[in-house]
Amino acid sequence: MSTVVQVEKKVIMSHDDIIRFQFVTHCYIERISISDADLDCLTLLAKTGAQELQIFCETVTQHQIFKSVQTVRNALAKGERLNLIVKNGKNKKQIMINPDLNISTQGTILLDFKFLHKSAA
């Protein structure tokens, strides 16, 4: 009979870090490779909620996550291809984090992940 080694860690994180951790975990599980700047951009979008594409692109450049609006647009297009964000509308597109990701951003957040590797006996 094999034994299960359980590792338990308890950490208090900042609001930004706990949102970012949810993206990192999702991307790791789904084998999605994204940069730190992409993670910062997604974290900011998750914190601010759905908004107009152009306004968000300008906000990201003001936060110096990316240097130009076009670079932000490219990152968001990548995020859309990877199903991390969704865009709605035609003229003034609205963007938001894909609700299917179930990223928690409000109130007190407790993440409870359980991962298991089962060895062949």
Side-chain angles (χ1 to χ4, degrees), residues 49-108:
Q51 57 187 290
E52 188 182 322
L53 176 63
Q54 183 62 33
I55 293 171
F56 181 71
C57 289
E58 292 168 3
T59 302
V60 171
T61 56
Q62 289 169 357
H63 280 84
Q64 298 179 340
I65 296 171
F66 290 107
K67 292 185 180 187
S68 72
V69 169
Q70 187 57 51
T71 310
V72 179
R73 286 180 176 275
N74 294 344
L76 294 173
K78 175 183 174 183
E80 186 178 26
R81 269 194 326 274
L82 297 171
N83 292 318
L84 299 173
I85 66 167
V86 292
K87 293 181 186 174
N88 298 317
K90 292 205 182 249
N91 291 338
K92 293 189 175 191
K93 288 187 179 179
Q94 292 283 318
I95 60 168
M96 66 178 166
I97 298 300
N98 188 335
D100 294 340
L101 299 181
N102 199 24
I103 302 292
S104 295
T105 61
Q106 302 296 317
T108 302

Side-chain angles (χ1 to χ4, degrees), residues 20-54:
R20 184 181 174 101
F21 184 79
Q22 291 173 80
F23 283 114
V24 169
T25 304
H26 172 79
C27 290
Y28 181 81
I29 290 169
E30 297 297 322
R31 303 283 194 249
I32 297 172
S33 178
I34 60 174
S35 70
D36 284 342
D38 291 333
L39 283 169
D40 291 342
C41 186
L42 290 168
T43 300
L44 183 60
L45 181 57
K47 282 176 46 178
T48 57
Q51 57 187 290
E52 188 182 322
L53 176 63
Q54 183 62 33

